[in-house]
Amino acid sequence: MLLPEILLSELQGVKGFNETAFLAAHDQSAPVSVRLNPAKDIGLFAAKEKVAWCGNGVYLNERPVFTLDPSYHAGAYYVQEASSMFLAHMLGGILTGKEGLRVLDLCAAPGGKSTLIASLLDRESLLISNEVIRTRASILDENMTRWGHMNTWVTSNDPRDLGRLHGYFDIIIVDAPCSGSGLWRKDPRALDEWSEANVQMCGERQQRILTDVWPSLKQGGVLIYATCSYSPQEDEDVLDWLAGAYDVAPLSITLEEEWGIVAVSTAKGMTGYRFFPDKVRGEGFFIAAVQKNEEAEGLRPERFKTGHDKKIQQQAGYLLRDGDAVFIQTDKESYSALLRQHEPDLQILKRAVYMRKTGLKLGMPAAKEWLPEHEVALSIDASQALPFIDADREQALKFLKREEMGIAGLPKGWQIVKHKGLGLGWIKSLGNRSNNYLPKQWRIRMEIE
Ligand code: SAM
């Protein structure tokens, strides 16, 4: 792979950069890795080698066709390159002993970091996964729905809108849009789009994004900044710009030497972590954490009348495992369940941002029954007593293609289609045939042999 000379010469001064080894690594293929969903543990990939800095991450020997694995669709794992999984190690230290946090993943689509964060937070915490680009927000929504946590909500807003939530978040993750040099091994076409001008434009945009969202971080709160770019203009320089513009303290993370991650100090005393593909088993990545020292007054919810609908709770409560949710109408067509203690957050958030997914969508009442939403089938909060059918791989793939599964003698009514114990979606059996309620946009479009 022929890499831009300008970048190579810029990296000469960067700690840990070894041009010969770096170039050689770019002639090798990227390792394949996935991160398991601990809330949907069905013993997959148990014998595989673990990613050293993430207990749920494993390397695979080859890249299977994930689309043809029903467990992937059920949210049993997420395909993610290994360096990014370092966020688990970083958050591990930051989250210790803390509960009930408000966390923002500002640039969240398609959901790699958000699904990782969701697995680390306690149930009382709330994760807001935001993606400004609407089409990408729908992919994020799908992936978060697959992951199955009721306390992960999706918004689709400009960072400036989130910045209006003064002092609200304990942790903000900015996995910034960048020039993408760290992912060239996975996507060599990105090389054609790389230019110095683009690096500069990305650096300026990163500063703008940080400026916009900064007011919403609490005093003492933590900002995690990451890119998949090697360029110092998007990494160390952005950290130094942040340290110049605001009152921040660097946060250091303990590393094991054999991981091959390079800790770098910036001119203004910030600390960042660089991932070079010749040193780690993963792709190019940069990550840093800083603490906000400045005062930031926190928002308080105004007095509000609960939207909890007891009648709906009576009708739809059977869908859920626990009884700690409120049942509220989130749009014309659906009611949602959210943890009682998160209702004030909805009041605060909806004043500033567009809520795309709030809690768990339950569906709506019809004349004689409850019409369940797709999300319930994938939720880790769904009642285990709901009727289900166990589909083998072939049947599950037919369901995921929205075809007739060909299972005879099903009892009439709503059933969750499960594969290896994990829900994929709903069917309504009419006795001799069944209707498939998998949303059209979730359908597998690939030809299956
Ligand atoms: N965090 C994601 C993950 O782990 O799957 C990857 C995020 S990707 C590096 C950066 C994201 O920022 C993209 O989804 C992109 O659409 C979004 N983005 C682009 N321009 C933006 C802007 N001006 N402000 C905020 N986000 C932006």
Side-chain angles (χ1 to χ4, degrees), residues 78 80 105-114 131-133 136 158-159 175-178 205 209 228:
Y78 188 93
Q80 185 175 39
D105 185 6
L106 182 67
C107 313
K113 310 286 183 309
S114 276
E131 168 56 46
V132 63
I133 298 175
R136 289 177 60 79
D158 190 275
D175 188 18
C178 69
R205 181 169 59 187
I209 290 173
C228 54

Side-chain angles (χ1 to χ4, degrees), residues 185-204:
R185 288 205 301 189
K186 279 177 72 185
D187 182 11
R189 283 167 311 173
L191 251 173
D192 302 335
E193 282 156 36
W194 190 92
S195 68
E196 267 186 295
N198 191 33
V199 169
Q200 191 183 335
M201 188 277 285
C202 288
E204 287 163 7

Side-chain angles (χ1 to χ4, degrees), residues 10-131:
E10 267 172 3
L11 288 176
Q12 297 302 336
V14 170
K15 185 179 163 196
F17 179 67
N18 173 333
E19 183 169 342
T20 314
F22 184 78
L23 289 174
H26 279 83
D27 288 329
Q28 286 166 10
S29 51
V32 180
S33 48
V34 301
R35 186 172 35 74
L36 294 153
N37 185 345
K40 296 192 175 188
D41 180 7
I42 50 168
L44 295 178
F45 309 121
K48 297 291 178 200
E49 190 191 339
K50 290 218 184 282
V51 174
W53 44 84
C54 175
N56 295 320
V58 291
Y59 293 103
L60 306 185
N61 304 335
E62 55 193 8
R63 193 175 185 87
V65 183
F66 292 112
T67 308
L68 298 184
D69 180 6
S71 301
Y72 166 75
H73 296 272
Y77 60 91
Y78 188 93
V79 184
Q80 185 175 39
E81 76 80 23
S83 299
S84 325
M85 296 184 200
F86 183 73
L87 178 61
H89 177 70
M90 195 172 235
L91 275 177
I94 294 167
L95 294 177
T96 307
K98 299 200 180 94
E99 289 175 353
L101 299 176
R102 300 295 175 262
V103 181
L104 170 65
D105 185 6
L106 182 67
C107 313
K113 310 286 183 309
S114 276
T115 51
L116 180 151
I117 300 161
S119 295
L120 296 177
L121 294 179
D122 64 297
R123 198 170 149 81
E124 309 268 312
S125 292
L126 183 62
L127 170 63
I128 304 303
S129 295
N130 179 71
E131 168 56 46

Side-chain angles (χ1 to χ4, degrees), residues 104-107 130 157-169 171-175 205-218 222-225 241-242 246 292 296:
L104 170 65
D105 185 6
L106 182 67
C107 313
N130 179 71
N157 280 77
D158 190 275
R160 212 174 315 126
D161 301 328
L162 286 136
R164 296 212 296 262
L165 298 163
H166 284 193
Y168 176 68
F169 292 107
I171 300 176
I172 298 180
I173 291 98
V174 177
D175 188 18
R205 181 169 59 187
Q206 288 147 359
Q207 293 180 12
R208 212 165 47 239
I209 290 173
L210 292 171
T211 306
D212 286 346
V213 80
W214 186 252
S216 67
L217 187 63
K218 267 190 187 141
V222 174
L223 173 92
I224 297 179
Y225 175 75
W241 165 82
L242 191 73
Y246 304 106
K292 178 170 180 171

Side-chain angles (χ1 to χ4, degrees), residues 234-269:
E234 299 180 70
D235 298 339
E236 288 89 343
D237 293 1
V238 174
L239 282 187
D240 276 347
W241 165 82
L242 191 73
Y246 304 106
D247 183 2
V248 297
L251 285 182
S252 297
I253 310 296
T254 48
L255 299 178
E256 302 288 331
E257 207 183 321
E258 64 267 21
W259 294 353
I261 299 163
V262 181
V264 289
S265 295
T266 70
K268 287 209 159 81

